[in-house]
Amino acid sequence: MTAMAGLGIAVAFKPGPASAEASEIVVCNWGGAALEAFQKAYGEPFKAKSGMEVIIDGAGPATGAIRAMVDSKNVTWDATDGGMVDAVVLGKGGYVEPIDYSIVDKSLVGEGLAAEFGICNYTYSNVLAYDAKKVGATAPSSWNDFFDLEKFPGKRTMCKWIQGQLEAVLLADGVKPEEMYPLDVDRAFKKLEPLLPQLIFWESGAQSQQLFRDGEVVMGNIWHTRANLLRKENPDYTWTWNQNLMFASAWSVPKGNPAGKKVFDFINSSLDPESQVTLLRLMGNGPSNPKALALMTDEDKAVYSLAPENAKSGLPISAQYYADNEAELQNKFLDFISR
Amino acid sequence: MTSFQRWAFCLTVPAALLTLCLYVLPILQVLALSFTEPTVGLGNYVALFQNAAIGRVVRTTVFVSAVTTVLTIVMSYAVAFALVHMPPATRRVALFMVMVPFWISVLVRAFAWITILRRNGVLNSALVGSGAVSQPLELVYNQFGVIVGMVHYMMPFAIMLLYANLSEIDLRIIQAARSLGARPVSIFFRVWLPLSMPGLAIAGLFIVIFSLGFLVTPAILGAGRVLMVAEYISVQISSTLRWGVATALSTMLLLVVGILIALAMRSPALRAAFEGGRK
């Protein structure tokens, strides 16, 4: 909060119109280890190219925060690190600028990763992660096993935020990936209900890691980036790529951003394969630029959700579906799990 | 009005203006959203009463707040009562212990409770280790855990409020009761308790109001399984962008708190508490 207030003051007292001669790009992400990683992967290469400083603010670009900034005409962020769904929702509400594809080279990212109001900066997946010491001789290998309390007794964790939760439930219930959308919510709730007493819901990535470290859960539906950090700590924590749920994260540009069009130079630079591989190595966030694959070692590919081996059983999460239904669905889900 | 009183009044004007401009007006602005978002009208309020999910959130909030208030008041009264009866040196140490939690952030306290209450946490390990229970108890990520965390947060406030009240009670009245042959039990119920009503009333009101809007503790210790009003509002503001519903619910919460205060002020005990300073 103080950081945000400080930023607001800094912008308010900046001499002259901010957009005329922007000297810095302010990027907002979700903080933690991502502060340093974004600086290394995106900030430093961009500064070397353009001379412009990149400031990373870890305040968390929730759609509500962006809307509040735009509504109060006091925008301090140039680029925000949200999901592709957020980009579509914010675009529909008129809170973000369309991506200027005369500056940003659309062909740098893979198919379906460039949208009107957001372009994919990295990819990640929700995966079935587990504690190998606790699950016994055979490891869980599909969402079916997530529901199998006899073979794998113990608590599980799922996320309180809806994206990628019901897909796993429906896959376990036998829904074919190609028939996933629109989600059959009632069917998912029916399948999930008996499992509720065994579930702990996480709300932040750090918390999902902590549940494994504390030995509270034997398996969980968590981001592969967090599973990767857990495995680096202790190889007993690992995950299966089978039936992973593939997400695209995206840069968005809040309407009236301080650096104006300059932000698109930054966005274009962030799509550089080298930058993206750097981020993959630091955080596990996967490149959106297919050319990055050529720069990867086998070790890199093992944590890259779009590596052919990992992507083949993956289910791409439909951003459009969530853009249209998330608010309704999120409230239904919170109501369902708190009953 | 004497000229001194006029001067004193003038000195409060800048603070009042500042509060009005920087606090009251923005709040009204936010509350106005409840009538204009997404369309002009009373739609958000109608939705509040028709939505079964919001009804459940409100019920959970009222239940958790009520249990928290009762437990907090009972336990805090015991502590405050003990404080009043301690020798001064012991009391200083005890008061210090009561104040310690004030210095620790609510977030840290919630996570500390998780460490204590989780399945292989401090408490369950001790219970299972000593053979008291064979299976770890479900102490957190449910209403029980939320209530434990909230009671712990509220107790220092309630203890201070009750202690202030109890220490003002004239001990000669107790002596008089004793000299007239009252037993300890009847002294407690017929002298101490009636005289502590102002403190109990103000502490109770304070805890209820605080509990109704509690966000962090239920979110962390409830882990999705206990959804209270403040968290529901926060989700609507920051992620689903349903600001209309969120501000309507905030308005209702403000209204309920206002009504509670107005009702409470009608009781002689609470009026006495507020007028206690004027001697």
Side-chain angles (χ1 to χ4, degrees), chain A residues 4-253:
Chain A
M4 272 172 69
L7 266 172
I9 290 164
V11 168
F13 289 100
K14 217 188 247 172
S19 54
E21 203 44 71
S23 60
E24 61 182 37
I25 301 283
V26 181
V27 172
C28 183
N29 70 6
W30 298 92
L35 284 177
E36 206 183 316
F38 271 41
Q39 190 57 260
K40 274 210 182 99
Y42 300 141
E44 285 169 16
F46 183 65
K47 195 183 176 191
K49 268 181 268 182
S50 68
M52 278 175 89
E53 197 77 48
V54 176
I55 314 280
I56 317 278
D57 174 7
T63 49
I66 295 173
R67 182 181 163 181
M69 263 191 188
V70 175
D71 276 353
S72 65
K73 301 201 168 41
N74 184 21
V75 177
T76 59
W77 299 329
D78 291 301
T80 57
D81 170 34
M84 195 54 104
V85 178
D86 296 350
V88 180
V89 169
L90 289 165
K92 223 163 39 173
Y95 304 113
V96 290
E97 307 273 0
I99 302 296
D100 187 339
Y101 286 112
S102 68
I103 303 173
V104 178
D105 181 358
K106 208 179 224 175
S107 70
L108 288 176
V109 297
E111 206 179 313
L113 297 179
E116 192 181 355
F117 294 101
I119 185 159
C120 180
N121 49 357
Y122 59 82
T123 62
Y124 64 96
S125 286
N126 271 36
V127 293
L128 175 57
Y130 56 90
D131 183 341
K133 254 206 327 264
K134 289 219 170 88
V135 293
T138 46
S141 59
S142 72
W143 293 115
N144 254 337
D145 292 338
F146 191 80
F147 283 84
D148 193 338
L149 285 167
E150 263 172 36
K151 228 163 52 181
F152 305 102
K155 298 253 177 192
R156 288 102 162 92
T157 184
M158 281 174 78
C159 186
K160 192 157 132 177
W161 312 124
I162 185 76
Q163 293 181 30
Q165 303 309 306
L166 300 185
E167 286 85 346
V169 176
L170 290 170
L171 283 172
D173 207 29
V175 173
K176 290 199 190 80
E178 58 276 16
E179 289 165 10
M180 187 55 71
Y181 296 103
L183 297 175
D184 187 341
V185 178
D186 292 334
R187 179 172 174 180
F189 282 4
K190 204 171 148 220
K191 169 86 175 167
L192 192 55
E193 190 155 26
L195 198 70
L196 275 180
Q198 301 299 325
L199 288 172
I200 300 172
F201 290 87
W202 58 272
E203 66 170 0
S204 71
Q207 194 190 358
S208 69
Q209 286 169 268
Q210 197 56 36
L211 287 169
F212 277 93
R213 287 193 202 109
D214 287 345
E216 285 286 282
V217 296
V218 294
M219 62 176 94
N221 178 349
I222 69 173
W223 297 328
H224 91 275
T225 48
R226 298 297 176 155
N228 181 39
L229 294 177
L230 277 169
R231 190 161 69 183
K232 280 183 183 167
E233 272 169 44
N234 178 347
D236 284 335
Y237 305 130
T238 182
W239 74 91
T240 172
W241 281 109
N242 188 33
Q243 296 183 320
N244 76 87
L245 309 161
M246 302 190 288
F247 285 88
S249 204
W251 290 128
S252 289
V253 177

Side-chain angles (χ1 to χ4, degrees), chain B residues 117-248:
Chain B
L117 299 175
R118 63 189 165 81
R119 274 178 75 82
N120 39 19
V122 180
L123 193 58
N124 266 322
S125 306
L127 286 174
V128 175
S130 68
V133 294
S134 57
Q135 279 288 318
L137 302 173
E138 306 272 346
L139 300 174
V140 73
Y141 309 127
N142 52 25
Q143 270 185 2
F144 178 84
V146 171
I147 291 171
V148 168
M150 283 174 65
V151 168
H152 178 243
Y153 186 86
M154 302 295 181
M155 273 189 69
F157 293 102
I159 292 170
M160 297 318 287
L161 288 167
L162 288 168
Y163 174 71
N165 174 247
L166 291 184
S167 59
E168 294 231 315
I169 292 174
D170 192 339
L171 292 178
R172 284 173 303 181
I173 302 174
I174 315 293
Q175 276 164 12
R178 205 174 292 147
S179 72
L180 291 171
R183 293 160 189 276
V185 176
S186 62
I187 291 181
F188 180 78
F189 282 105
R190 297 179 62 181
V191 183
W192 277 109
L193 212 52
L195 286 174
S196 4
M197 281 327 272
L200 286 170
I202 199 160
L205 184 65
F206 181 88
I207 307 297
V208 168
I209 291 173
F210 217 157
S211 302
L212 288 176
F214 231 63
L215 172 65
V216 176
T217 307
I220 292 174
L221 295 173
R225 304 305 302 273
V226 184
L227 186 60
M228 288 178 52
V229 167
E231 192 186 356
Y232 190 85
I233 293 174
S234 140
V235 171
Q236 309 313 318
I237 291 279
S238 62
S239 71
T240 64
L241 294 185
R242 296 200 165 167
W243 288 12
V245 172
T247 47

